[in-house]
Amino acid sequence: MARGSVIVVGAGIAGLSTAWALNRRGFDVSVFEQGPIPNPRATSHDEHRITRYAYGALEGYAYLMPQAFAMYERMFADIGADHFARSKVVYFLREEISWHEPTIRALTRLGAGFRDIPLAEVAQRFPMVRTDGLTRAVETDDGGMLFPIRILTDLTVTLGARGVRFFADSRVSEVDPEAGKVVANGREHRADHVVIAAGAWVNKLTPLLADVVVPSRQAVMYLAPPPELARLWSEVPVLIDMGLRSGTYTLPPRRGTRLKIGDHVFTRSGDADGDRLATGADVERLESAARLAYRDFDRYQVLERKICFYTVTRDDSERFAVRPWGAKAWVVSACSGHGFKLGPLIGDGVAAAIAGERSAEETSRWAAGQLDLAELGAAEPAA
């Protein structure tokens, strides 16, 4: 007999991971998604995403990453496919920024490998990188690329085979957190619990986080490198350029994906129901930063300019907002690109709270990265 029924609103990585964790605990789960499943308009729907240990001032998330990697391994074993390309991650620093000291402290405490790359060696190892203005280059061992479309697809197939019910093209318009009720396409559905994991649409369904998070229209570009650099790009690790003007992250082509570049500057504007057509204004800052990071960037062919929507905090904290709402609901809101890295772990934590394995207060603090390394062992759910 099921331990109870749960409605999950949203079929991105947060929603599907929560459904996966609830299903493993014996709950009867239904997933509602406003589009197809997986949904190409979802923030989670992408060719590849970075995962890593290094988190700068967000040390609490660095300390969560060993658990996050382990939860992905558990998920991959469950779905029967490993959608993770392990890779070093190299950081190029161009100004004095606050990233280095807390990162090295966290990596040291975690026993994760890292080393400085002598600046004199950068040009030889990474001839595509502009070396003028570099102040430091740091190579870290633990990281790589996740392949979201494949993860979402395999997770959907696995959950369907295990009895999870999917309601595709079912837009939720109303949630009653006291009654455990949602209204989708004009029809009422009830459960013992409701989890809202609606990404950039979260504020359309609940006022709980309206003062905390906001949708952010973000641009990325997919590129074809100059022919003489194509083989090198297929072999280099993930590259992150960190500067006040130049900040970019770059995922090299792997397993049939394209070279992808984005930035980490949040617009904190836009409507998630809007278009996904990137304009010149959308990519202006990204193109400028890319020219500062890479030599002869204008020789790279643009294959696609894409818009996605993150949910980000109104301040600069970049923390997950995971909170109970009323008697029967939880709201799960990722922050920026952390969402995919930590999605299965956060989903498991919410499922643990619903199952009574962890308190609501502890779950919210844990998901916000507010627990120190010493606290995390006691806070880990018994999944």
Side-chain angles (χ1 to χ4, degrees):
M1 180 179 295
R3 297 177 64 177
S5 57
V6 185
I7 289 173
V8 177
V9 182
I13 190 61
L16 290 179
S17 293
T18 304
W20 172 71
L22 288 164
N23 176 262
R24 286 191 295 109
R25 286 172 168 82
F27 285 90
D28 183 17
V29 184
S30 300
V31 177
F32 287 74
E33 170 59 47
Q34 63 180 321
I37 301 175
N39 189 346
R41 289 174 62 86
T43 300
S44 298
H45 200 272
D46 201 353
E47 292 185 11
H48 45 358
R49 292 282 177 87
I50 299 170
T51 188
R52 65 187 191 275
Y53 274 32
Y55 257 94
L58 296 171
E59 288 184 62
Y61 288 117
Y63 301 138
L64 284 177
M65 290 314 296
Q67 296 178 31
F69 275 70
M71 192 62 69
Y72 261 116
E73 289 180 4
R74 182 170 188 171
M75 178 179 283
F76 292 150
D78 214 16
I79 65 178
D82 186 347
H83 298 308
F84 174 44
R86 289 152 184 83
S87 167
K88 297 180 187 299
V89 182
V90 177
Y91 299 82
F92 299 104
L93 281 61
R94 296 186 183 273
E95 281 99 8
E96 292 300 322
I97 55 178
S98 60
W99 175 89
H100 186 261
E101 181 182 352
T103 295
I104 299 309
R105 178 170 57 243
L107 293 178
T108 300
R109 293 185 69 184
L110 288 168
F114 67 90
R115 65 206 57 83
D116 275 5
I117 299 174
L119 293 181
E121 296 179 9
V122 170
Q124 180 179 1
R125 287 186 58 183
F126 306 100
M128 70 284 284
V129 172
R130 286 187 59 172
T131 57
D132 49 310
L134 284 182
T135 59
R136 187 186 293 267
V138 180
E139 181 180 63
T140 63
D141 290 338
D142 298 296
M145 291 165 279
L146 297 162
F147 299 92
I149 295 172
R150 304 172 201 184
I151 293 170
L152 297 175
T153 301
D154 282 355
L155 195 50
T156 299
V157 172
T158 298
L159 292 176
R162 294 181 179 176
V164 171
R165 288 182 296 279
F166 292 105
F167 294 80
D169 300 311
S170 298
R171 189 178 183 103
V172 172
S173 58
E174 180 184 338
V175 179
D176 184 336
E178 303 298 339
K181 181 183 76 174
V182 304
V183 177
N185 294 350
R187 184 179 175 185
E188 183 179 299
H189 304 263
R190 291 179 179 267
D192 298 318
H193 307 274
V194 175
V195 178
I196 299 176
W201 288 266
V202 63
N203 290 343
K204 296 177 181 285
L205 295 176
T206 170
L208 186 69
L209 303 180
D211 294 334
V212 180
V213 302
V214 62
S216 187
R217 181 181 174 94
Q218 302 295 134
V220 298
M221 294 192 298
Y222 298 91
L223 308 166
E228 70 273 16
L229 293 177
R231 181 175 179 179
L232 182 61
W233 267 114
S234 71
E235 298 170 348
V236 298
V238 173
L239 304 181
I240 299 180
D241 191 272
M242 305 184 71
L244 300 178
R245 295 179 301 146
S246 57
T248 60
Y249 60 87
T250 307
L251 292 91
R254 292 288 194 279
R255 300 187 188 179
T257 64
R258 297 170 291 178
L259 174 64
K260 172 187 168 185
I261 186 168
D263 64 15
H264 200 64
V265 176
F266 303 130
T267 68
R268 292 187 172 86
S269 64
D271 185 339
D273 284 320
D275 66 73
R276 296 296 192 275
L277 301 176
T279 66
D282 285 318
V283 298
E284 181 179 6
R285 191 269 167 196
L286 175 56
E287 289 179 334
S288 175
R291 291 187 184 96
L292 293 172
Y294 295 111
R295 298 175 55 194
D296 302 321
F297 184 73
D298 289 333
R299 295 188 58 224
Y300 287 69
Q301 298 183 73
V302 177
L303 303 176
E304 182 183 358
R305 297 178 176 89
K306 179 184 175 182
I307 290 297
C308 67
F309 277 86
Y310 289 154
T311 304
V312 302
T313 52
R314 292 184 180 275
D315 59 19
D316 293 324
S317 64
E318 295 189 47
R319 298 186 184 278
F320 277 81
V322 175
R323 299 181 185 177
W325 182 33
K328 295 188 174 184
W330 277 84
V331 180
V332 180
S333 179
C335 183
S336 76
H338 305 328
F340 215 95
K341 301 176 186 69
L342 288 152
L345 182 64
I346 298 299
D348 187 76
V350 173
I354 291 173
E357 300 165 17
R358 161 186 279 160
S359 73
E361 179 182 359
E362 182 181 66
T363 300
S364 296
R365 289 185 60 231
W366 168 81
Q370 293 175 337
L371 300 185
D372 186 75
L373 183 60
E375 301 176 89
L376 287 174
E380 189 172 355

